[in-house]
Amino acid sequence: MAQRSAEELFHELQGESHAGFVAIHVPVQHSPAGVPYLTAPGVVLLARPQTNVQGLATFLAGFDPSYHFDEYVADPTALPDGAQLCKVAGQTCYLSFGPRRTANAQARRYFDNLKASRHGSVLEHATFSFFVYGISRSLTHELIRHRAGFSYSQTSQRFVDGRTLRFVERPEYRQDEHLHRLFLQRIERAAAEYAELSEYLLARQQAGDPLLSAEARTDLRKRVQQCSRSLLPNETEAPLVVTANARAWRHVIEERTAPHAEIEIRELLVRIFVCLALVDPVLFGDYTLERLPDGTYSVRTPYEKV
């Protein structure tokens, strides 16, 4: 299998980087009837660690000067904040702050040893949050099964008006003219049926239907939308914010980018991996991208299940 770097794929996907935060955006397409849809996941790094190593100075100065613990905060090699945070956490376990410690310049070796011994708990200190869009409801049904180390906030079809509906085209449909045409017909039909049902339910509500009645205005909207959403296919877009620690991200990347993984969720996790590898190559630099026969990518590492 052909290999390539995360940076190469990031540029191929037209990724953007601003002030240490990265994103891979995708344009919105429209069907002949004007129904919006997307053809790939968009990912935006919302948050990453910020580490205050200098804050340890007073603590380290409280030990016998012969230990030279105070020199720890003067390490000349800067690390990505996530890697620095995890390294401080790991070295705290042994009070490894003196001259014989592993310096930042050897951080990759330090983390390779942790990964090889599967001391993955140290990696749980660094968290990364992404805003993700251009993903379908069927994808999120799989993603949110991962709970350990993860938090999710997802768009609600019950609270959100159907006028904001967008859809997601699967990879298989993009490469086949017949499947693509059927997809466009299907989302136009779904959008039209949703609008028609919503209008009918609203009329019933205004006529006093007890199943659709409520006192609060927000509850009135929910009564209509919770019924109308039953028409929506799994192809409906389901944006979310997802936060996880580095250890959890590594686990899901390995699980969901494997060659046997579902192709749509693999496409998402490859993009998230590429972003993580760029912002913290120390924590995620042991992975390689491998191009599969179908043109998609898998992510592999010699340090699995850390």
Side-chain angles (χ1 to χ4, degrees):
M1 300 180 184
Q3 293 187 357
R4 63 185 320 179
S5 70
E7 186 174 3
E8 288 174 334
L9 186 54
F10 181 77
H11 290 304
E12 180 182 308
L13 295 171
Q14 299 182 324
E16 304 172 1
S17 179
H18 301 285
F21 289 87
V22 293
I24 299 174
H25 288 291
V26 291
V28 180
Q29 311 288 332
H30 291 85
S31 74
V35 176
Y37 68 96
L38 297 99
T39 59
V43 297
V44 180
L45 179 64
L46 280 182
R48 57 186 178 84
Q50 184 175 18
T51 306
N52 175 30
V53 178
Q54 291 297 324
L56 300 176
T58 299
F59 164 75
L60 296 172
F63 289 86
D64 189 307
S66 65
Y67 293 149
H68 298 284
F69 279 5
D70 58 323
E71 298 175 7
Y72 187 82
V73 298
D75 194 310
T77 302
L79 294 178
D81 280 321
Q84 183 67 80
L85 172 60
C86 294
K87 185 167 178 286
V88 169
Q91 292 180 316
T92 297
C93 295
Y94 304 98
L95 285 184
S96 182
F97 300 122
R100 297 181 63 184
R101 72 185 184 277
T102 301
N104 285 358
Q106 288 78 46
R108 286 182 182 271
R109 185 183 67 190
Y110 175 81
F111 282 104
D112 283 349
N113 288 335
L114 283 178
K115 295 167 189 174
S117 59
R118 297 188 176 180
H119 289 170
S121 62
V122 172
L123 305 184
E124 294 174 10
H125 292 284
T127 61
F128 300 84
S129 299
F130 285 89
F131 181 86
V132 182
Y133 66 99
I135 56 174
S136 71
R137 181 68 67 166
S138 60
L139 187 158
T140 61
H141 280 330
E142 291 205 27
L143 180 62
I144 63 174
R145 292 167 57 193
H146 298 281
R147 292 302 303 151
F150 275 85
S151 298
Y152 303 95
S153 295
Q154 184 174 351
T155 299
S156 169
Q157 294 177 346
R158 188 178 178 218
F159 285 86
V160 175
D161 190 288
R163 287 174 294 183
T164 62
L165 284 177
R166 305 195 303 188
F167 298 88
V168 178
E169 184 175 21
R170 286 189 57 82
E172 299 92 337
Y173 302 163
R174 305 170 209 158
Q175 303 173 13
D176 185 288
E177 183 178 346
H178 176 66
L179 293 176
H180 175 66
R181 184 171 64 253
L182 292 177
F183 166 76
L184 295 180
Q185 293 172 356
R186 189 163 57 251
I187 65 173
E188 288 181 347
R189 184 167 60 250
E193 290 178 349
Y194 182 95
E196 181 181 1
L197 178 58
S198 296
E199 291 176 9
Y200 178 76
L201 291 171
L202 183 60
R204 290 286 303 275
Q205 187 179 76
Q206 293 171 345
D209 187 321
L211 284 177
L212 298 168
S213 298
E215 293 184 4
R217 180 174 297 181
T218 54
D219 287 335
L220 286 171
R221 290 199 303 268
K222 284 190 293 184
R223 290 296 179 97
V224 170
Q225 288 157 193
Q226 70 188 10
C227 182
S228 299
R229 66 177 176 171
S230 64
L231 297 176
L232 296 176
N234 274 346
E235 294 164 317
T236 308
E237 185 188 25
L240 56 77
V241 171
V242 51
T243 299
N245 63 60
R247 187 186 197 184
W249 277 124
R250 289 179 62 92
H251 169 72
V252 172
I253 287 168
E254 292 163 24
E255 290 285 312
R256 296 299 190 168
T257 67
H260 62 268
E262 204 276 339
I263 188 171
E264 189 181 9
I265 199 170
R266 185 166 73 241
E267 189 173 37
L268 169 64
L269 266 299
V270 165
R271 289 171 181 243
I272 287 176
F273 157 71
V274 166
C275 290
L276 289 171
L278 262 64
V279 299
D280 204 317
V282 178
L283 295 183
F284 298 95
D286 52 297
Y287 287 98
T288 56
L289 282 162
E290 298 179 350
R291 192 176 182 91
L292 301 175
D294 63 4
T296 63
Y297 289 91
S298 178
V299 181
R300 302 264 57 87
T301 176
Y303 306 111
E304 294 183 345
K305 300 180 180 179
V306 171

Coordinates of all heavy atoms in Angstrom, one line a residue, residues 59-113:
F59 N 6.8 25.4 42.8 CA 6.8 24.1 43.4 C 8.1 23.4 43.3 O 8.7 22.9 44.2 CB 5.7 23.2 42.6 CG 5.9 21.8 42.8 CD1 5.5 21.1 44.0 CD2 6.4 21.0 41.8 CE1 5.6 19.8 44.2 CE2 6.6 19.6 42.0 CZ 6.2 19.0 43.1
L60 N 8.8 23.6 42.1 CA 10.1 22.9 41.9 C 11.2 23.5 42.7 O 12.1 22.9 43.2 CB 10.4 23.0 40.4 CG 9.5 22.2 39.5 CD1 9.8 22.5 38.0 CD2 9.6 20.7 39.7
A61 N 11.1 24.8 43.0 CA 12.1 25.5 43.8 C 12.0 25.1 45.3 O 12.9 25.4 46.0 CB 11.9 27.0 43.7
G62 N 11.0 24.5 45.7 CA 10.8 24.1 47.1 C 11.6 22.8 47.4 O 11.5 22.4 48.6
F63 N 12.3 22.2 46.5 CA 13.1 21.0 46.8 C 14.6 21.4 47.0 O 15.0 22.5 46.6 CB 13.0 20.0 45.6 CG 11.6 19.4 45.6 CD1 10.6 20.0 44.9 CD2 11.4 18.2 46.2 CE1 9.3 19.4 44.8 CE2 10.2 17.6 46.1 CZ 9.1 18.2 45.4
D64 N 15.4 20.5 47.5 CA 16.8 20.7 47.7 C 17.4 21.2 46.4 O 17.3 20.6 45.4 CB 17.5 19.4 48.2 CG 18.9 19.7 48.6 OD1 19.7 20.2 47.9 OD2 19.2 19.2 49.8
P65 N 18.2 22.3 46.4 CA 18.8 22.8 45.2 C 19.7 21.8 44.5 O 19.9 21.9 43.2 CB 19.6 24.0 45.7 CG 18.9 24.5 46.9 CD 18.4 23.2 47.6
S66 N 20.2 20.9 45.2 CA 21.1 19.9 44.6 C 20.4 19.0 43.6 O 21.0 18.4 42.7 CB 21.8 19.0 45.6 OG 20.8 18.2 46.3
Y67 N 19.0 19.0 43.7 CA 18.2 18.2 42.7 C 18.1 18.9 41.3 O 17.8 18.3 40.3 CB 16.8 17.9 43.2 CG 16.8 17.0 44.4 CD1 15.8 17.2 45.4 CD2 17.7 16.0 44.6 CE1 15.7 16.3 46.5 CE2 17.7 15.2 45.7 CZ 16.7 15.3 46.7 OH 16.6 14.5 47.8
H68 N 18.3 20.2 41.4 CA 18.2 21.0 40.1 C 16.8 20.9 39.5 O 16.7 21.0 38.2 CB 19.3 20.6 39.1 CG 20.7 20.9 39.6 ND1 21.3 22.1 39.7 CD2 21.6 20.0 40.1 CE1 22.5 22.0 40.2 NE2 22.7 20.7 40.4
F69 N 15.8 20.7 40.3 CA 14.5 20.6 39.7 C 14.0 21.9 39.0 O 13.2 21.9 38.1 CB 13.5 20.3 40.9 CG 13.4 18.8 41.2 CD1 14.3 17.9 40.6 CD2 12.5 18.4 42.1 CE1 14.2 16.6 41.0 CE2 12.4 17.0 42.5 CZ 13.2 16.1 41.9
D70 N 14.6 23.0 39.5 CA 14.2 24.3 39.0 C 14.5 24.5 37.5 O 14.0 25.3 36.8 CB 14.8 25.5 39.8 CG 16.3 25.4 39.8 OD1 16.8 24.3 39.9 OD2 16.9 26.5 39.8
E71 N 15.5 23.7 37.0 CA 15.9 23.7 35.6 C 14.9 23.2 34.7 O 14.9 23.4 33.4 CB 17.2 23.0 35.4 CG 18.4 23.6 36.2 CD 19.7 22.8 36.1 OE1 19.7 21.8 35.3 OE2 20.6 23.1 36.9
Y72 N 13.9 22.5 35.2 CA 12.9 21.8 34.4 C 12.1 22.8 33.5 O 11.9 22.6 32.4 CB 11.9 21.1 35.3 CG 10.9 20.2 34.5 CD1 11.2 18.9 34.1 CD2 9.6 20.7 34.3 CE1 10.3 18.2 33.4 CE2 8.7 19.9 33.6 CZ 9.0 18.6 33.2 OH 8.1 17.9 32.5
V73 N 11.8 24.0 34.1 CA 11.0 25.0 33.4 C 11.8 25.7 32.4 O 11.3 26.5 31.6 CB 10.3 25.9 34.3 CG1 9.4 25.2 35.3 CG2 11.3 26.7 35.1
A74 N 13.1 25.5 32.3 CA 14.0 26.2 31.4 C 14.4 25.4 30.2 O 15.3 25.7 29.5 CB 15.3 26.7 32.1
D75 N 13.7 24.2 30.0 CA 14.0 23.4 28.9 C 13.9 24.2 27.6 O 12.8 24.8 27.3 CB 13.0 22.2 28.8 CG 13.5 21.1 27.9 OD1 13.8 21.4 26.7 OD2 13.5 19.9 28.3
P76 N 15.0 24.2 26.8 CA 14.9 25.1 25.6 C 14.1 24.6 24.4 O 13.8 25.4 23.5 CB 16.4 25.2 25.2 CG 17.0 23.9 25.7 CD 16.2 23.6 26.9
T77 N 13.7 23.4 24.4 CA 12.9 22.8 23.3 C 11.4 22.9 23.6 O 10.9 22.4 24.6 CB 13.3 21.3 23.1 OG1 14.7 21.2 22.9 CG2 12.5 20.7 21.9
A78 N 10.8 23.6 22.7 CA 9.3 23.8 22.9 C 8.6 22.6 22.3 O 9.0 22.1 21.2 CB 8.9 25.1 22.2
L79 N 7.5 22.2 23.0 CA 6.7 21.1 22.5 C 5.3 21.6 22.2 O 4.9 22.6 22.8 CB 6.6 20.0 23.6 CG 7.9 19.2 23.9 CD1 7.6 18.2 25.0 CD2 8.4 18.5 22.6
P80 N 4.5 20.9 21.4 CA 3.1 21.2 21.3 C 2.5 21.1 22.7 O 2.9 20.3 23.5 CB 2.6 20.1 20.4 CG 3.7 19.7 19.6 CD 4.9 19.8 20.5
D81 N 1.5 22.0 23.0 CA 1.0 22.0 24.3 C 0.4 20.7 24.8 O 0.6 20.4 26.0 CB -0.1 23.1 24.4 CG 0.4 24.5 24.5 OD1 1.4 24.7 25.2 OD2 -0.1 25.4 23.8
G82 N -0.2 19.9 23.9 CA -0.7 18.7 24.3 C 0.3 17.7 24.8 O 0.3 17.0 25.8
A83 N 1.4 17.6 24.0 CA 2.5 16.8 24.3 C 3.2 17.2 25.6 O 3.6 16.4 26.4 CB 3.5 16.7 23.1
Q84 N 3.4 18.6 25.7 CA 4.0 19.1 26.9 C 3.2 18.7 28.2 O 3.7 18.3 29.2 CB 4.2 20.6 26.8 CG 4.9 21.2 28.0 CD 6.3 20.8 28.1 OE1 7.2 21.4 27.4 NE2 6.6 19.9 28.9
L85 N 1.9 18.9 28.1 CA 1.0 18.6 29.2 C 1.1 17.1 29.6 O 1.3 16.8 30.8 CB -0.4 18.9 28.8 CG -1.5 18.4 29.8 CD1 -1.3 19.1 31.2 CD2 -2.9 18.8 29.3
C86 N 1.1 16.2 28.6 CA 1.2 14.8 28.9 C 2.6 14.4 29.4 O 2.7 13.5 30.3 CB 0.9 14.0 27.7 SG -0.8 14.1 27.1
K87 N 3.6 15.1 29.0 CA 5.0 14.8 29.4 C 5.1 15.2 30.9 O 5.7 14.5 31.7 CB 6.0 15.5 28.5 CG 7.4 15.2 28.9 CD 8.3 15.7 27.7 CE 9.8 15.4 28.1 NZ 10.3 16.3 29.1
V88 N 4.6 16.4 31.2 CA 4.6 16.8 32.6 C 3.9 15.8 33.5 O 4.4 15.5 34.6 CB 4.0 18.2 32.8 CG1 3.8 18.6 34.3 CG2 4.9 19.3 32.1
A89 N 2.7 15.4 33.0 CA 2.0 14.4 33.8 C 2.7 13.1 34.0 O 2.8 12.6 35.1 CB 0.6 14.1 33.1
G90 N 3.4 12.6 33.0 CA 4.1 11.4 33.1 C 5.3 11.5 34.0 O 5.6 10.6 34.8
Q91 N 6.0 12.7 33.9 CA 7.2 12.8 34.7 C 6.9 13.2 36.2 O 7.7 13.0 37.1 CB 8.1 13.9 34.1 CG 8.7 13.4 32.7 CD 9.6 14.4 32.0 OE1 9.2 15.6 32.0 NE2 10.7 14.0 31.5
T92 N 5.7 13.6 36.4 CA 5.2 13.9 37.8 C 5.1 12.5 38.5 O 5.4 12.5 39.7 CB 3.9 14.6 37.8 OG1 4.0 15.8 37.2 CG2 3.3 14.7 39.2
C93 N 4.8 11.5 37.8 CA 4.6 10.2 38.5 C 5.9 9.7 39.2 O 5.9 9.0 40.2 CB 4.3 9.1 37.4 SG 2.6 9.4 36.7
Y94 N 7.1 10.2 38.7 CA 8.3 9.7 39.3 C 9.2 10.9 39.8 O 10.3 10.8 40.0 CB 9.2 9.0 38.2 CG 8.4 7.8 37.7 CD1 7.8 7.9 36.4 CD2 8.4 6.6 38.4 CE1 7.1 6.8 35.9 CE2 7.7 5.5 37.9 CZ 7.0 5.6 36.6 OH 6.3 4.5 36.2
L95 N 8.5 12.1 39.8 CA 9.2 13.4 40.2 C 10.5 13.4 39.3 O 11.6 13.8 39.8 CB 9.6 13.4 41.7 CG 8.4 13.8 42.6 CD1 8.9 13.9 44.0 CD2 7.7 15.0 42.2
S96 N 10.3 13.2 38.0 CA 11.5 13.2 37.1 C 11.7 14.5 36.5 O 11.4 14.8 35.4 CB 11.2 12.1 36.0 OG 12.3 12.1 35.1
F97 N 12.1 15.5 37.4 CA 12.3 16.8 37.0 C 13.8 17.3 37.0 O 14.1 18.4 36.7 CB 11.6 17.8 38.0 CG 10.1 17.5 38.0 CD1 9.4 17.2 39.1 CD2 9.3 17.6 36.8 CE1 8.1 17.0 39.2 CE2 8.0 17.4 36.8 CZ 7.3 17.1 38.0
G98 N 14.7 16.4 37.4 CA 16.1 16.7 37.5 C 16.8 16.5 36.2 O 16.3 16.2 35.1
P99 N 18.2 16.7 36.2 CA 19.0 16.7 35.0 C 18.9 15.3 34.2 O 19.2 15.2 33.0 CB 20.4 17.0 35.5 CG 20.2 17.7 36.7 CD 19.0 17.1 37.3
R100 N 18.6 14.2 35.0 CA 18.6 12.9 34.3 C 17.3 12.6 33.7 O 17.1 11.5 33.1 CB 18.9 11.9 35.4 CG 20.3 12.0 36.0 CD 20.6 10.9 37.0 NE 20.6 9.6 36.4 CZ 20.8 8.5 37.1 NH1 21.0 8.5 38.4 NH2 20.8 7.3 36.5
R101 N 16.4 13.6 33.7 CA 15.1 13.3 33.1 C 15.2 13.3 31.6 O 16.2 13.6 31.0 CB 14.1 14.5 33.4 CG 14.5 15.8 32.7 CD 13.7 17.0 33.1 NE 14.0 18.1 32.3 CZ 15.0 19.0 32.5 NH1 15.8 18.7 33.5 NH2 15.2 20.0 31.7
T102 N 14.2 12.8 30.9 CA 14.1 12.9 29.4 C 13.8 14.3 29.1 O 12.7 14.8 29.4 CB 13.1 11.9 28.9 OG1 13.4 10.6 29.3 CG2 13.0 12.0 27.3
A103 N 14.7 15.0 28.4 CA 14.4 16.4 28.0 C 13.4 16.4 26.8 O 13.1 15.4 26.2 CB 15.8 17.0 27.6
N104 N 12.9 17.6 26.6 CA 11.9 17.8 25.5 C 12.5 17.4 24.2 O 11.7 17.0 23.3 CB 11.5 19.2 25.5 CG 10.5 19.6 26.6 OD1 10.2 18.7 27.4 ND2 10.1 20.8 26.7
A105 N 13.8 17.6 24.0 CA 14.4 17.2 22.7 C 14.2 15.7 22.4 O 14.2 15.3 21.2 CB 15.8 17.6 22.6
Q106 N 14.1 14.9 23.4 CA 13.9 13.5 23.2 C 12.4 13.0 23.5 O 12.1 11.9 23.9 CB 14.8 12.7 24.2 CG 16.3 12.7 23.8 CD 16.9 14.0 24.2 OE1 16.8 14.5 25.3 NE2 17.7 14.6 23.2
A107 N 11.5 14.0 23.3 CA 10.1 13.7 23.7 C 9.5 12.6 22.9 O 8.7 11.8 23.4 CB 9.3 15.0 23.5
R108 N 9.9 12.5 21.6 CA 9.3 11.4 20.8 C 9.7 10.0 21.3 O 8.9 9.1 21.4 CB 9.8 11.6 19.3 CG 9.1 12.7 18.6 CD 9.5 12.8 17.1 NE 8.9 13.9 16.4 CZ 7.7 13.8 15.8 NH1 7.1 12.7 15.8 NH2 7.3 14.9 15.2
R109 N 11.0 9.9 21.7 CA 11.4 8.7 22.3 C 10.7 8.4 23.6 O 10.3 7.2 23.9 CB 12.9 8.7 22.5 CG 13.5 7.4 23.0 CD 15.0 7.6 23.3 NE 15.2 8.4 24.5 CZ 16.4 8.9 24.9 NH1 17.5 8.6 24.2 NH2 16.5 9.7 25.9
Y110 N 10.5 9.4 24.4 CA 9.8 9.3 25.7 C 8.4 8.8 25.4 O 7.9 7.8 26.1 CB 9.7 10.7 26.3 CG 8.9 10.7 27.6 CD1 9.4 10.2 28.8 CD2 7.6 11.2 27.6 CE1 8.6 10.3 30.0 CE2 6.8 11.2 28.8 CZ 7.3 10.7 30.0 OH 6.6 10.8 31.1
F111 N 7.6 9.3 24.5 CA 6.3 8.9 24.2 C 6.2 7.5 23.5 O 5.3 6.8 23.7 CB 5.5 10.0 23.4 CG 5.1 11.1 24.3 CD1 5.7 12.3 24.2 CD2 4.0 11.0 25.1 CE1 5.3 13.4 25.0 CE2 3.6 12.0 25.9 CZ 4.2 13.2 25.9
D112 N 7.2 7.3 22.7 CA 7.3 5.9 22.1 C 7.4 4.8 23.1 O 6.8 3.8 23.1 CB 8.4 5.8 21.1 CG 8.1 6.5 19.8 OD1 7.0 6.9 19.5 OD2 9.1 6.7 19.0
N113 N 8.2 5.1 24.2 CA 8.3 4.2 25.3 C 7.0 4.0 26.0 O 6.6 2.9 26.4 CB 9.4 4.6 26.3 CG 10.8 4.5 25.7 OD1 11.1 3.7 24.8 ND2 11.8 5.3 26.2

